[in-house]
């Protein structure tokens, strides 16, 4: 079978060109006689790969010089603990916005370390929107303000940057990083698991303003201390070398395709294809508030849930896979990260129309 269209929320589709280059270099990387997987992380070949990946990410996101870029492990979930451990800096509490399942997990973990003030929640409407900042009850003495700019499960995205004054802003960008430009200087810390828009699972990226690190809570394990990783340039222990290599190829692919501005236009065009159709039909329903419609994860339900199985089966027969919604919300979800071509979205919509005609 040729490549299918993979709408998985993560691990997710990667650019075909990246996979092909990785294949070509798998056994013998650039004539050095070994695979990237076999290289010492302290050897000059791998040090070069890691340095280039960091330089390309810095260029793509225009990361200011006073920010550290860390290549870590443990997923975004480990960051739910590392953020409070490192950023409380002697303060008693932190502010969290609650817009869905990932916010809730971050809050739950932070409660182990500090008093969490939930500044606002959209639980009243089943997490189908994000409260605007005029509804947030921020605390001026909070150590930081944490939010989830794209809730991967609910498909709720926040396109504006919260204004938090001197209180550092922390964002779990796992499912929106690299999908559009962001002004990194507005953030104290950005983190993302790689498996949505960056590369293979196992790599986690942290971008942190350097003055915020080095004041961990007592008992913080060495491996959870940003400062340790920053000083060792992410080589304190063995980093996820192959993941860093693939991420580096993805960064090159993004640069080659016009960078994050071009990616944003491409992602808007793709999302418009699917939302545009959803707006014309009563057979399918998208629960998300219009101003928070995620460009990366698009949930929708069928008018009659009894048709879900038939919908998924027919989709699979056409090479459209991983459309089943998250178990907590049901229905369908199409994740259309950077590497999903617009053709994939068009073929999905054609299929949805045909299915409606047959069953509507
Ligand atoms: C996937 C995801 C996570 C969890 O990532 P892991 O790498 O599996 O720990 C956390 N937050 C968001 C927004 C996600 O999309």
């Amino acid at each position: 079978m040729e490549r299918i269209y993979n709408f998985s929320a993560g691990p997710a589709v990667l650019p075909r060109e990246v996979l092909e280059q990785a294949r070509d270099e798998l056994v013998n990387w650039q004539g050095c006689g070994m695979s990237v997987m076999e290289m010492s992380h302290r050897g000059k070949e791998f040090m070069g790969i890691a340095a280039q990946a960091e330089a390309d990410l810095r260029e793509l996101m225009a990361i200011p010089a006073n920010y550290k870029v860390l290549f870590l492990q443990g997923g975004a979930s480990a960051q739910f603990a590392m953020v409070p451990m490192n950023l409380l800096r002697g303060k008693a509490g932190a502010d969290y916005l609650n817009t869905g399942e990932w916010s809730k997990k971050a809050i739950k973990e932070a409660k182990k370390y500090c008093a969490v003030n939930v500044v606002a929640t959209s639980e009243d409407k089943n997490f189908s929107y994000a409260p605007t900042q005029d509804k947030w009850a921020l605390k001026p003495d909070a150590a930081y303000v944490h939010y989830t700019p794209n809730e991967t499960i609910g498909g709720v995205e926040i396109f504006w940057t919260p204004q938090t004054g001197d209180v550092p802003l922390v964002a779990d960008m796992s499912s929106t990083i690299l999908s559009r430009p962001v002004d990194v200087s507005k953030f104290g810390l950005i983190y993302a698991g790689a498996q949505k828009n960056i590369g293979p699972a196992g790599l986690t990226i942290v971008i942190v303003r350097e003055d915020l690190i080095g004041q961990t809570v007592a008992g913080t394990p060495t491996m959870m201390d940003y400062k340790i990783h920053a000083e060792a340039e992410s080589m304190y222990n063995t980093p996820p070398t192959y993941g860093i290599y693939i991420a580096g190829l993805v960064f090159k692919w993004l640069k080659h395709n016009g960078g994050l501005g071009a990616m944003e236009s491409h992602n808007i065009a793709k999302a418009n294809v699917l939302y545009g159709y959803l707006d014309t039909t009563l057979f399918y329903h998208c629960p998300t508030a219009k101003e928070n419609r995620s460009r990366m994860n698009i949930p929708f339900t069928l008018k009659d849930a009894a048709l879900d199985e038939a919908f998924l089966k027919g989709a699979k027969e056409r090479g459209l896979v991983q459309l089943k919604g998250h178990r907590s919300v049901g229905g369908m979800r199409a994740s259309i990260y950077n590497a999903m071509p617009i053709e994939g979205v068009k073929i999905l919509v054609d299929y949805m129309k045909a299915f409606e005609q047959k069953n509507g």
Side-chain angles (χ1 to χ4, degrees):
M1 190 186 207
E2 238 313 78
R3 295 261 298 162
I4 49 165
Y5 290 108
N6 176 9
F7 294 93
S8 171
V13 57
L14 283 167
R16 184 189 183 110
E17 295 88 336
V18 165
L19 296 174
E20 286 173 346
Q21 184 175 347
R23 175 200 61 202
D24 293 346
E25 298 179 337
L26 181 66
V27 175
N28 181 358
W29 182 79
Q30 298 193 1
C32 79
M34 60 181 159
S35 173
V36 175
M37 277 182 249
E38 302 169 301
M39 289 176 183
S40 163
H41 58 296
R42 310 209 186 273
K44 84 171 173 357
E45 289 92 353
F46 185 75
M47 298 276 279
I49 288 171
Q52 189 63 50
E54 179 178 338
D56 286 335
L57 180 64
R58 284 186 176 276
E59 186 183 328
L60 279 167
M61 293 185 72
I63 299 172
N66 62 325
Y67 283 72
K68 297 288 187 189
V69 174
L70 309 177
F71 294 119
L72 307 179
Q73 303 187 57
S77 300
Q79 295 309 310
F80 296 163
M82 282 176 79
V83 165
M85 280 176 166
N86 285 268
L87 295 199
L88 282 172
R89 295 164 296 132
K91 295 193 187 251
D95 282 350
Y96 278 74
L97 176 69
N98 184 8
T99 50
E101 298 304 319
W102 292 117
S103 298
K104 282 201 283 189
K105 288 206 163 153
I107 289 167
K108 190 169 174 221
E109 192 72 2
K111 280 183 175 166
K112 294 184 174 178
Y113 303 96
C114 65
V116 169
N117 169 45
V118 175
V119 298
T121 172
S122 52
E123 202 155 10
D124 58 331
K125 289 190 182 149
N126 201 22
F127 296 118
S128 59
Y129 74 104
T132 47
Q133 202 179 326
D134 54 308
K135 307 279 187 328
W136 296 19
L138 291 166
K139 285 203 169 157
D141 58 345
Y144 58 87
V145 181
H146 179 284
Y147 81 121
T148 311
N150 187 61
E151 280 283 358
T152 320
I153 292 172
V156 170
E157 188 158 1
I158 299 172
F159 294 98
W160 41 274
T161 305
Q163 305 292 317
T164 56
D166 290 339
V167 181
L169 179 62
V170 176
D172 174 0
M173 288 201 188
S174 293
S175 54
T176 181
I177 193 165
L178 302 176
S179 70
R180 54 186 160 95
V182 292
D183 181 350
V184 174
S185 73
K186 298 277 190 290
F187 296 83
L189 187 147
I190 292 167
Y191 64 91
Q195 69 274 20
K196 279 62 184 255
N197 233 354
I198 298 172
L203 168 67
T204 310
I205 289 184
V206 171
I207 301 164
V208 60
R209 216 175 68 208
E210 60 192 7
D211 62 286
L212 296 175
I213 62 178
Q215 302 170 63
T216 50
V217 299
T220 298
T222 308
M223 277 297 289
M224 309 284 274
D225 184 340
Y226 293 134
K227 181 123 200 218
I228 295 284
H229 292 290
E231 283 176 353
E233 299 190 328
S234 303
M235 304 274 181
Y236 170 72
N237 71 325
T238 316
T241 52
Y242 202 73
I244 293 170
Y245 158 71
I246 298 287
L249 297 185
V250 171
F251 301 153
K252 286 269 185 251
W253 177 82
L254 288 167
K255 282 174 65 177
H256 184 75
N257 284 285
L260 302 193
M263 225 12 85
E264 177 172 39
S265 309
H266 179 62
N267 288 327
I268 289 173
K270 286 189 306 188
N272 283 345
V273 170
L274 187 42
Y275 287 118
Y277 170 59
L278 288 168
D279 282 341
T280 67
T281 167
L282 294 173
F283 185 79
Y284 302 98
H285 173 69
C286 173
T288 321
K290 280 209 167 138
E291 64 277 17
N292 296 118
R293 285 175 161 184
S294 170
R295 292 177 193 147
M296 297 287 104
N297 312 97
I298 305 185
F300 60 90
T301 53
L302 274 63
K303 194 176 64 180
D304 178 1
L307 291 168
D308 284 4
E309 285 305 315
F311 178 87
L312 290 166
K313 185 163 171 282
K316 192 163 181 219
E317 282 161 14
R318 285 161 185 77
L320 308 166
V321 305
Q322 295 287 349
L323 285 161
K324 197 175 164 73
H326 190 270
R327 58 192 183 279
S328 66
V329 283
M332 306 298 151
R333 173 178 49 171
S335 295
I336 53 171
Y337 296 112
N338 283 343
M340 171 61 67
I342 195 162
E343 294 71 42
V345 187
K346 288 180 177 163
I347 292 170
L348 171 63
V349 167
D350 286 345
Y351 168 64
M352 289 168 70
K353 284 180 186 162
F355 190 86
E356 173 176 4
Q357 259 154 27
K358 193 159 151 238
N359 299 283

